[in-house]
Amino acid sequence: MSLASRNFLSSRLPVWAAASALALLPPMTFDRTAAYAQLVEQPATPADPALDLERKRDEARQELEELSDTISLSVGKAESIEQDIAELEKTTSNLRQALIDSAARRKDLEEKIRDSEETLARLRLREAEIRTSLRGRRDVLAEVLAALQRMGRNPPPALLVTPEDALASVRSAILLGAVVPGMRAQAERLHADLQALTTLQAQASVERTSVSATIAASLEEEKRMDMLLAENVKLSLQSTAELEAERRRSEELAEQATSLEGLVQSLEGEIASVREAVEQARLEEERLRQLSQAEREQARERAQNALPDKNRIAPAYAFSSLRQTLELPVTGDILREFGDADGTGHTAVGMTVAASPGSVVTAPADGLVVFAGAFRSYGQMIILNAGDGYHVVLAGMDDVRTRQGKFVLSGEPIAVMGAKKVASAAALTLETDRPTLYIEFRKDGSPVDSKPWWTAKESGRARNDS
């Protein structure tokens, strides 16, 4: 580059046009040669986009958690929910259906909050990329805009106006022909970046407004579910003394058991309510097996065309026939699947899902609760007898909201996740602080892969594939 070109580009006047973009950027040293070369450079791409996106997800998650803490349920909304439940006919069937509907709405809202978290993370990542690009071109942009400003204040001589200064006009023409295309490209790129920043900030604002409304609706549904659960407890046929005695006995059996299989066998043999419910379910399964093929087909058609009986004491469908139909018990990201390395030199015999704090946990299928409480390194755990020789194990919850001997329906809320990861054996090696739910399917006492049972949308690993 000629000396005149370098002097022209290095003039340092106030950069009024770039003030909004450059005010937030730290000062940097300037190399004229490198700056000129950068006029046509593209911004550097992040070294690890996946890692950057994960970091932005964590930031968005923290922001939404803080936002949730600032939102409270209004008195009017609480009274409205209380009135709705007061008007509900208090039967076991109605309450269970209301609980299932409430859990479905709550999980849907949790999914929307999770989607908003992902959207905010991607918007923040894109904004960070643009700001990084602007920061890297800060001095180049300053030079370009300063040159344009200087040209406006002191334009080069025109040959027709000042023919005696022909040499200066020719020099100006050569200089402008060399630098103007680069300056124009850089100015257009700056304009596009600033427009993109404005658009991203507007989208983030709209998303935050939307997620605020979703969080408020989720709080309402949480209140409704708590009140429905309280009403459901009132209808329990067992006395408090009987329930307390069974709870203490189940804790004793859990302390004595050395394995899940041993725990299940002892519970189904010694806890009265569990033993009776298992026997009733066994008799119902036996009755269904004795039906002719035609009768079974008719029963299946009736079940498909109408809602199963909410007062049933056995699963509506054989568990082995429910492949690709079950929904995950909690809304979240699958971190580990059956057969993956578990971080201790062994392979996982269950799957682990990272959830949001306070997420509701629902029964993935009809089943009899044979255990609900703490068991060794599993933490708070629920074991469901799903029939057909299958048991479903759920562990890692904070608050269990069911009890042994109770028959729960698919989609019925049975627990709530805590605020952070429980230090259980299934979660210790996971690199996350989020609460995690461990899910294990067992057939005749042996673990089996649960993946074939989940719906297509739930069967794959979630956003953070590894």
Side-chain angles (χ1 to χ4, degrees):
M1 181 185 288
S2 67
L3 178 60
S5 299
R6 287 198 300 271
N7 290 340
F8 181 74
L9 284 176
S10 62
S11 57
R12 310 222 180 215
L13 297 176
V15 191
W16 57 270
S20 59
L22 304 178
L24 299 177
L25 305 179
M28 299 176 63
T29 57
F30 179 61
D31 181 336
R32 291 188 182 91
T33 304
Y36 185 77
Q38 287 178 32
L39 283 172
V40 292
E41 275 188 4
Q42 297 297 319
T45 55
D48 190 347
L51 197 60
D52 287 344
L53 180 57
E54 189 61 34
R55 186 170 60 252
K56 294 301 178 185
R57 282 197 192 113
D58 292 340
E59 291 175 3
R61 186 176 300 118
Q62 181 64 31
E63 178 185 342
L64 294 187
E65 288 177 7
E66 292 173 356
L67 178 61
S68 180
D69 292 339
T70 65
I71 298 175
S72 59
L73 194 62
S74 69
V75 175
K77 283 290 184 181
E79 291 177 348
S80 175
I81 293 171
E82 291 174 0
Q83 182 65 27
D84 289 344
I85 294 177
E87 294 173 356
L88 179 68
E89 185 181 354
K90 304 299 193 305
T91 65
T92 301
S93 177
N94 287 345
L95 283 174
R96 297 183 88 174
Q97 184 60 56
L99 278 168
I100 291 171
D101 293 342
S102 177
R105 288 192 296 268
R106 188 168 166 185
K107 290 179 77 172
D108 182 59
L109 291 168
E110 288 169 357
E111 183 68 29
K112 289 180 180 179
I113 293 173
R114 179 168 166 261
D115 290 343
S116 292
E117 173 190 302
E118 176 77 6
T119 300
L120 286 171
R122 294 191 179 280
L123 290 174
R124 284 186 170 186
L125 180 61
R126 178 58 186 144
E127 182 178 346
E129 290 172 351
I130 294 175
R131 289 185 179 278
T132 299
S133 174
L134 289 172
R135 188 177 293 112
R137 294 177 289 138
R138 182 179 193 275
D139 291 305
V140 177
L141 296 174
E143 293 296 332
V144 170
L145 294 170
L148 292 172
Q149 188 180 31
R150 184 177 179 83
M151 288 171 59
R153 292 184 176 180
N154 186 21
L159 182 60
L160 294 177
V161 177
T162 55
E164 69 279 0
D165 199 2
L167 182 58
S169 298
V170 171
R171 286 175 176 170
S172 297
I174 294 173
L175 176 62
L176 292 176
V179 301
V180 164
M183 289 193 297
R184 177 183 290 112
Q186 195 67 27
E188 290 175 350
R189 185 171 158 198
L190 172 62
H191 181 258
D193 284 348
L194 293 177
Q195 277 192 326
L197 269 179
T198 301
T199 301
L200 289 171
Q201 290 166 352
Q203 289 175 343
S205 177
V206 170
E207 194 65 37
R208 278 191 289 269
T209 301
S210 173
V211 77
S212 295
T214 305
I215 291 173
S218 181
L219 289 174
E220 293 175 22
E221 207 56 58
E222 183 178 349
K223 174 69 172 178
R224 185 188 308 277
M225 182 178 293
D226 288 342
M227 296 183 69
L228 287 169
L229 285 168
E231 291 292 335
N232 202 31
V233 169
K234 292 178 184 178
L235 290 181
S236 175
L237 300 179
Q238 288 182 287
S239 70
T240 303
E242 290 174 333
L243 291 174
E244 182 61 22
E246 287 205 343
R247 186 188 64 80
R248 287 197 302 268
R249 181 56 180 152
S250 68
E251 289 176 352
E252 293 174 2
L253 293 173
E255 290 177 359
Q256 297 169 7
T258 57
S259 66
L260 275 177
E261 186 176 3
L263 175 63
V264 171
Q265 289 177 350
S266 61
L267 288 166
E268 293 185 343
E270 298 191 34
I271 299 296
S273 63
V274 175
R275 183 175 62 250
E276 292 169 4
V278 168
E279 180 61 18
Q280 287 179 331
R282 187 191 66 78
L283 292 174
E284 179 65 14
E285 286 185 22
E286 183 64 27
R287 184 188 70 80
L288 294 175
R289 277 195 293 268
Q290 291 176 356
L291 296 176
S292 66
Q293 182 64 30
E295 289 173 329
R296 279 198 293 269
E297 289 298 328
Q298 289 176 358
R300 181 181 294 275
E301 289 179 6
R302 285 196 302 270
Q304 290 175 344
N305 295 328
L307 290 175
D309 180 15
K310 290 295 183 292
N311 293 315
R312 59 187 181 274
I313 58 173
Y317 312 102
F319 192 78
S320 56
S321 70
L322 296 178
R323 293 171 183 259
Q324 296 186 338
T325 65
L326 304 186
E327 293 188 1
L328 286 178
V330 71
T331 299
D333 302 327
I334 299 174
L335 301 185
R336 183 182 290 157
E337 293 184 311
F338 184 93
D340 289 348
D342 68 357
T344 64
H346 303 86
T347 56
V349 294
M351 66 186 296
T352 305
V353 180
S356 298
S359 296
V360 64
V361 180
T362 58
D366 292 356
L368 170 68
V369 180
V370 298
F371 182 76
F375 178 65
R376 297 188 176 276
S377 62
Y378 285 85
Q380 290 293 318
M381 185 174 73
I382 294 174
I383 303 176
L384 300 178
N385 182 333
D388 251 1
Y390 287 93
H391 286 85
V392 177
V393 179
L394 306 174
M397 296 84 66
D398 178 69
D399 182 15
V400 172
R401 297 183 172 183
T402 189
R403 57 174 177 78
Q404 296 101 277
K406 182 179 179 182
F407 188 84
V408 295
L409 308 181
S410 176
E412 189 171 340
I414 55 177
V416 174
M417 301 301 296
K420 59 183 179 180
K421 179 176 69 176
V422 176
S424 64
L428 282 177
T429 58
L430 294 169
E431 296 181 358
T432 181
D433 291 328
R434 299 165 65 189
T436 56
L437 181 69
Y438 175 73
I439 307 167
E440 182 178 315
F441 284 10
R442 301 175 73 86
K443 168 65 172 172
D444 297 327
S446 300
V448 295
D449 189 359
S450 65
K451 189 173 183 178
W453 271 266
W454 307 119
T455 60
K457 67 175 183 178
E458 308 285 10
S459 60
R461 196 181 297 271
R463 300 173 303 182
N464 54 342
D465 288 1
S466 57

